[in-house]
Amino acid sequence: MIVCKSKMELEKMREANLIVATVLERLRKMIEPGVTTSQLDSCAEELILKAGGKPAFKGYRGYPATLCASVNDQIVHGIPNQRRLQAGDVLGLDLGVYYKGFYGDSAWTFPVGEISDELHKLLKVTEESLYLGIEQVRIGNRVSDISASIQKHVESHGFSVVREFVGHGIGKALHEEPQVPNYGVPGRGPRLVEGMVLAIEPMVNTRGSEVKVLEDQWTVITADGGYSAHFEHSVAVTENGPWILSLLDH
Ligand code: MF3
Ligand code: CO
């Protein structure tokens, strides 16, 4: 069942997502060679609690941290640790917040210092694919219209999309129906109706799309050692088109 949200509920979801966006912006400014993802994680937790929210991922199926921090060949669900970031790394930060009964969820991949041209292109294409997916968030479209536009953009640039993990509905639960894959043909799946909220989250690899999970049971890496990027926004379907709830200064 897909749960639609009232205008008032969307306003609350906006508040939850605004905390996510504000914290990600603060973390972005801290990212430089020498910083550890544990430091970013502590800072994120402190800022969320100060804002009156709760970290959404901590304790979710036993996940041990506030942030997911995924470096280089790590795709998603990297657990923050004491390793120092190095110039040339790419760092994916995924953050969820629970506030006033609703969840917010957003992710961004950042460069650490100077990065290679290929990584620059990876970040650009992945972010663009997210926004192309978001453009499809219109009443009457179907879920796979989002999926198809993401896949088309990514593959036209020679990169691949991850299949094993998908976007999702979001609201009073972190993961609601429907699933939002980042691949597929257009015109399939549920129709989008006013009040749906979707977390759209392309995961894009420089080489093959295959994944492996590390022994920690969380960290997802590319099977072939290629680099990976992940961008995510929580987006509401409105009569005026997509409302990106997790964008600053909307
Ligand atoms: N943002 C991710 C998602 O949408 C992370 C959740 S997994 C967690 O599914 F365990 F870290 F919470
Ligand atoms: Co998500």
Side-chain angles (χ1 to χ4, degrees), residues 22 112 116 133 142 155 185:
T22 307
V112 181
S116 69
R142 290 183 187 268
E155 292 182 354
V185 294

Side-chain angles (χ1 to χ4, degrees), residues 174-246:
L174 177 59
H175 295 129
E176 297 184 355
E177 286 179 34
Q179 294 199 347
V180 185
N182 299 299
Y183 62 93
V185 294
R188 306 279 169 87
R191 265 190 207 287
L192 305 185
V193 304
E194 191 171 0
M196 278 186 192
V197 184
L198 303 174
I200 303 172
E201 46 180 320
M203 288 145 264
V204 174
N205 299 347
T206 54
R207 298 188 207 154
S209 62
E210 291 73 28
V211 312
K212 277 198 303 210
V213 180
L214 294 186
E215 313 76 62
D216 64 19
Q217 302 295 329
W218 279 106
T219 313
V220 182
I221 65 169
T222 60
D224 58 14
Y227 285 85
S228 191
H230 176 215
F231 287 75
E232 175 178 25
H233 273 310
S234 296
V235 184
V237 182
T238 81
E239 55 190 0
N240 304 317
W243 179 12
I244 308 176
L245 300 172
S246 48

Side-chain angles (χ1 to χ4, degrees), residues 56-68 76-77 94-96 105-107 165-168 170 174-175 199 201 218 230 232:
F57 302 163
K58 204 169 195 171
Y60 179 86
R61 297 183 174 205
Y63 187 73
T66 294
L67 270 184
C68 295
V76 286
H77 304 167
D94 190 350
L95 182 63
D105 189 6
S106 181
F165 298 87
V166 296
H168 50 94
I170 181 168
L174 177 59
H175 295 129
E201 46 180 320
W218 279 106
H230 176 215
E232 175 178 25

Side-chain angles (χ1 to χ4, degrees), residues 44-144:
E45 179 163 14
E46 194 185 311
L47 290 169
I48 291 166
L49 295 175
K50 249 194 231 161
K54 250 189 59 186
F57 302 163
K58 204 169 195 171
Y60 179 86
R61 297 183 174 205
Y63 187 73
T66 294
L67 270 184
C68 295
S70 308
V71 181
N72 295 340
D73 64 334
Q74 299 177 351
I75 301 169
V76 286
H77 304 167
I79 300 172
N81 62 31
Q82 305 289 344
R83 176 187 165 272
R84 292 180 188 287
L85 294 169
Q86 294 178 26
D89 287 344
V90 286
L91 169 64
L93 294 181
D94 190 350
L95 182 63
V97 165
Y98 184 69
Y99 184 69
K100 293 190 180 173
F102 289 91
Y103 285 93
D105 189 6
S106 181
W108 210 261
T109 302
F110 302 98
V112 181
E114 285 288 309
I115 58 171
S116 69
D117 290 349
E118 190 197 26
L119 287 179
H120 194 264
K121 182 181 156 195
L122 174 68
L123 301 193
K124 179 164 178 284
V125 167
T126 310
E127 184 182 356
E128 285 168 354
S129 77
L130 170 60
Y131 281 96
L132 288 167
I134 291 171
E135 276 179 24
Q136 296 297 320
V137 176
R138 304 198 172 271
I139 294 170
N141 274 6
R142 290 183 187 268
V143 166
S144 85

